[in-house]
Amino acid sequence: MQTGCGPLYVTINEDKAGLFELFTTMGKAGGCASSQCEAIGRMVSLAWRSGVQARQVIKQLLGISCHLPAGFGDNKVLSCADAVAKAIQAHMQAAGYDVSLETQAPERGACPECGGIVEHEGGCAVCRVCGYSECA
């Protein structure tokens, strides 16, 4: 999965009972993004081993945004957590499961200055809360 932090490799393992564990590896070694992705992988694995369904994990992670989204349209990845959710969703759909959710993720990111919603206007990301502009 291509994220704003670089490539994120997601490995999903199953056993006889179903989904069992999830591993993540950032294309860049170390750093905050790498540690956060490892934490997400550990928590998702724990959730699956505790009986939480994939649909619920996807619902919780899908749409989480950071200040560095990647891609456009349906392929847009809002954060590393969003990338993990989309990887799980793709894995489940490839296995023949319906994991579509009722609500879609917003097509925006978070403002790096204030955390507000970033809107794309005129080819530039702007924050209406604090006035941040990616193009300025």
Side-chain angles (χ1 to χ4, degrees):
M1 303 292 298
Q2 187 61 41
T3 72
C5 298
L8 175 67
Y9 302 95
V10 180
T11 303
I12 298 171
N13 293 322
E14 298 184 47
D15 65 6
K16 295 175 189 174
L19 297 174
F20 181 71
E21 60 190 356
L22 181 137
F23 294 101
T24 61
T25 306
M26 285 297 299
K28 303 174 189 173
C32 186
S34 182
S35 67
Q36 293 298 313
C37 289
E38 182 176 345
I40 290 170
R42 289 182 185 192
M43 293 305 297
V44 169
S45 296
L46 179 63
W48 286 344
R49 290 180 193 133
S50 300
V52 175
Q53 297 297 311
R55 179 186 300 268
Q56 292 303 314
V57 172
I58 294 167
K59 184 177 178 180
Q60 293 301 312
L61 296 177
L62 194 65
I64 293 175
S65 63
C66 76
H67 69 285
L68 290 174
F72 299 96
D74 291 338
N75 296 323
K76 188 168 191 175
V77 176
L78 301 174
S79 67
C80 295
D82 188 56
V84 169
K86 290 179 179 184
I88 297 168
Q89 195 170 35
H91 175 83
M92 297 303 290
Q93 287 172 338
Y97 294 97
D98 178 22
V99 289
S100 57
L101 300 175
E102 295 170 8
T103 58
Q104 293 296 319
E107 293 295 324
R108 303 176 196 99
C111 175
E113 300 289 325
C114 72
I117 295 174
V118 173
E119 297 178 5
H120 296 279
E121 181 179 286
C124 190
V126 296
C127 176
R128 304 237 184 261
V129 176
C130 70
Y132 166 82
S133 174
E134 188 176 58
C135 299

